[in-house]
Amino acid sequence: MESVWSFISPEPWSFGELFDALRQAPMYHIVVEIILVVFIIRLLLTKSYPIESDELTEAEKEELIRDWEPEPLVPDTPEDHPDLKSRVVTKNGSTSMVVNGKEGINMATLDFLGMISRKETEEAALKAAGKYGVGSCGPRAFFGTIDVHLYLEQKLASFCGVEQAILYSYGFSTVASAIPAYAKRGDIIYCDEGVSFPIQMGLLASRSKLKFFKHNDMDDLQRLLEDQMALEKKNPKKAKVTRKFLVVEGLYANYGTIAPIAKLIEFKYKYKVRVFMDESYSFGVLGKTGRGVTEYSGVKIQDVDLIVVSMEMALGTMGGFCLGTQYVIDHQALCGLGYCFSASLPPLLASAAHAAIDCLEADPDICERLRQKASFLHERLAEIEGITVSGVPISPVKHIRLVNSSGNRDADTRLLQSVVDKALDRGLVLTVAKYLNDEESFLPDPSIRVTVNVDLTEELLIKAVDIMKNTFSEVFQKSG
Amino acid sequence: MYKYWVMEMMEAHHQQSLAIQMKQRRLANGHKPVSIPQEALPNGLHRENVNRKHTAQRNGITKSASSSKNNVPKKEAHPSQEGKASASYEPTPLVWAVITFWCYFILVIVGWVRDILRKTGLENTKGGQEKEHMKEFPSLYQGFDNFYVRNIYIKLRDNFNIPVCGIPGAEFELAERRTDDYNWTYHMTGRTKRCINLGSYNYLGFAENSGWRHEEVRKVIKEYGSGVGSSRQEVGTLDLHQELESLVAEYTGKEDAITFGMGFATNALNIPALVGKGCLVISDKLNHASLILGIRLSGAVVRVFEHNDMKSLEKVLRKAVVEGQPRTHRPWKKILVIVEGVYSMEGTIVNLPEVVALKKKYKAYLYLDEAHSIGAMGKTGKGVVEYWGVDPKDVDIMMGTFTKSFGSSGGYIAADKKIINHLRLHSHSATYSTAMPAPLAQQIIVCFKTLLGRDGTDEGMYRTRRLAWNVKYFRSKLKQMGYIVYGHDDSPVVPIMIYLPSKVGAMGRLCRERGIGLVLVGFPATPITETRIRVCLSAGHTKEMLDKTLDAFDEYGDLLWMKYSSQEVPQTIIPPYPQREKKGDENEE
Ligand SMILES: Cc1ncc(COP(=O)(O)O)c(C=O)c1O
Ligand SMILES: Cc1ncc(COP(=O)(O)O)c(C=O)c1O
């Protein structure tokens, strides 16, 4: 102990002794030591040099700021871009519409049941406008809940036979808000490659892990699910808190195909995945009474955890709704972004949607008539040479695609667009299905999207097919 | 597909920003004083010099700007700030902060105990339950959200989602609801109560169901129906949309405009068309959920600055330009600053001249969300741009919604032709969702015509003046009573701090009994400890309505101990009640 103290304490040292020691030391020793000291000092300095230089001076910062040139906010769009030439509608109707001053048979809008031009919806909207004005002037929580919203939600729930429904004010935001309300970071979503863009945005917002399976390919899905099951066996603790979701569309907007819901429900219970289904295109279309894919396939609607429907198609207004159990739906009232943070649906639109549901309920055969017309059209279209018609015959959305693609997407699109333009001159309103090519996860091939409206008579359908046939053959001839 | 990677990459960033946000909230109890000086001059008489001095001192912008080549002349940076109202931010009094936390502490403890009781079956679990056959699935929910709903929100639930049985005008019919199971379910009794409406975003009182504007809307319903059934890019462009868009462009002073069916979607689905990977978004801390969602979907990196704090904005901007992108230090492709005109939960008016000066200095782009300010701010209702006298050209993207001042629904983006053309082709919303239904478009068109005086009356101007008077009157009276009122004196959004959830319930119920409909805002729209009343004033409110409300506030403020303010409030000179200059609407009372 003693010795240690003496070693540490400065007591035995003095400057005199130090000097003596220096004097007695050999010269070379001192020289070496001096060199060492100089070297150390140099090292210290050089080491600190880059640290100092890392910090930019104010002048350098100003220079950087001066030199930085941002890209323009948006890239240039040519003024004469073909898609900028708006096709302006001055009259819309279920069977005919006026586009750019030319009247034509309507095979472009999505209101399959012709609800937009029904007297019933018009009267309901007028009545609601007289009572409530136009806007609701607030989100649902803050005096934006109008009694007609509640009536419509009750009606939708009872019509479909589910516990609860929740209304949104925009079709796109319905599914895009519903998915991230449940699926969060760390969860897994299995998703069909054919889903439409709003669903893709919902998936993106959820930040969950995404696993895509080939469109309607149940083997591919099962493979993914089996893989996950094997993983979970290894880590059952994590598996217990990892939620899994299966996101599909009832009737695929981009393909006109129907989801094999019975199989999906089987997977649901086998692999413990919750099923979310977007029925925007199948509600009011499939099933004996228009209740959608579940009715069509004979599956209990309660087996699907969440059904999302946009009212912008068959119901012919704006907005959307979700269906499910109270346990599932209630959550969206505080966690559905598009529900909480946006003004509610204008009451006159809610009333119009309500009237549309009433019409559907009073005349359920309307769905069957629509499907017959769709099948009729499908058969006729299949006879046109050079094109394929995708999807099931009963689907009221049909995508006409080229058999012989030129291999160049732009060229194909231009060709289809010229068909659309020529058809308008001949009295048929069509549209090329528009996509954001760079944003889609799995971009569908270019197509003309033909829709069938229940009000179109057989004669009109035949006339439309004739126009298409002539236009296609003319365009094909010209393009060689 | 790249988006999905970006998303993964953003995870880390988000966590960081969220953590910072939470820390700041904890530290500052949510509210740092905003940089606008606290002065309470009655009416712009001496304000000019005072304000200028403050501006120069408080931000250091003038100083640093003068040393920079991209200096903006001072006149341009502060075109007309004289007569601009001050913001008042009184921090939460410490004792009330403690009591609020104590209140939540008790609520949470009680909640825990009740959760245990529910688990053991001693207490009935109400509300929706997971079905028996779904119980082996991983639980659908976790975390605080549902605890909050089950144990705290439910106690106050009678104050939210109250059904309105009629037009949301200056007065409205609130449905009476009954509950037999402590707020878990309601049924309407069929009776209604007439209340003064202090909650709807009906700033200019255009929520109407009579008069010439209404007749125009009816005509359009008959002509076009209530849907469109196609997207703008396909066959959903009506002639009405074109008329509307040219009116929006004219009103906002931009070259062109594009409109959508929902304001939320206007933000969420168009920001991704403007910025993407390699771009930086600088966002106000209290920006609206739709903006945050849009940023998230865009894949751009986001940095957050303190609410309306120009020093903080400059710091973030400067750092971003100097340091470039993280790790690679490549310069950012572009920087977009996103702010709101009037913040809907705070009542703050954005410090636009300074934002514009900073944006010019650092060559960033500016996105201004005028949801709550278009129609409601400025002499002729043209928003915060007019209020501050800023040139609309200096704001790259002017966004706004039609849900508020216009009594309709939807949103717009007004900008240079080049930007709008780009959006027409690349907006998610214009490509994939159906266009705005005709009656909504017509409602907005007739409102614009009124505001622009095209109806041959001065109705539009009269309404904006009435709103401005109501705001001055109501805000100054409340402050004199001793309430803590957030936001600027000219802001039609009036947040009145209450802090305690129990008082919120009491105040809401008492006022409804007295015929006053109040909006109470709590979590998730505000931080959990900053529950407040939010009054949105309207041009439709008469002085009698405001006086009745103020009487109630005075009485209940004493009863419930809500006059928290300890600040001296000088007497404000209220200008004379606005008078019409010309003939007004024929349906005016
Ligand atoms: C700043 C801001 N932006 C956008 C919105 C959304 O507008 P809308 O209600 O029309 O969807 C709101 C609405 O509350 C808002 O406050
Ligand atoms: C105002 C604001 N903008 C943007 C963000 C970034 O959000 P996110 O990373 O979720 O897109 C946040 C918060 O986290 C925020 O508060």
Side-chain angles (χ1 to χ4, degrees), chain A residues 28 95 100 102 152 173 176 210 212 214 235 284 298 303 307 317 321 342 390 433 437:
Chain A
Y28 76 91
T95 55
N100 286 350
K102 295 168 197 158
L152 178 56
S173 292
L210 304 178
F212 284 98
K214 296 256 166 340
N235 192 352
D303 276 335
I307 291 179
T317 61
F321 56 89
S342 176
S390 75
N437 297 359

Side-chain angles (χ1 to χ4, degrees), chain B residues 472-484:
Chain B
K472 256 209 173 66
Y473 181 71
F474 192 73
R475 274 184 165 269
S476 73
K477 286 274 183 220
L478 274 181
K479 279 192 182 173
Q480 276 160 23
M481 282 178 203
Y483 277 98
I484 294 188

Side-chain angles (χ1 to χ4, degrees), chain A residues 337-349:
Chain A
L337 283 182
Y339 179 90
C340 294
F341 293 102
S342 176
S344 57
L345 186 68
L348 72 94
L349 299 186

Side-chain angles (χ1 to χ4, degrees), chain A residues 207, chain B residues 14 17-18 21 283-287 292 296 302 304:
Chain A
R207 294 168 161 161
Chain B
H14 171 73
S17 74
L18 215 68
Q21 230 184 327
S283 164
D284 189 291
K285 190 170 128 189
L286 297 181
N287 269 349
I292 297 174
R296 186 194 290 185
V302 51
V304 175

Side-chain angles (χ1 to χ4, degrees), chain A residues 136-174:
Chain A
S136 61
C137 289
R140 284 293 290 268
F142 307 145
F143 297 140
T145 302
I146 313 287
D147 50 6
V148 289
H149 294 137
L150 300 176
Y151 301 147
L152 178 56
E153 282 173 348
Q154 278 158 15
K155 179 83 202 180
L156 288 166
S158 69
F159 176 77
C160 293
V162 297
E163 281 179 16
Q164 213 165 345
I166 188 167
L167 262 186
Y168 280 75
S169 52
Y170 206 52
F172 193 122
S173 292
T174 312

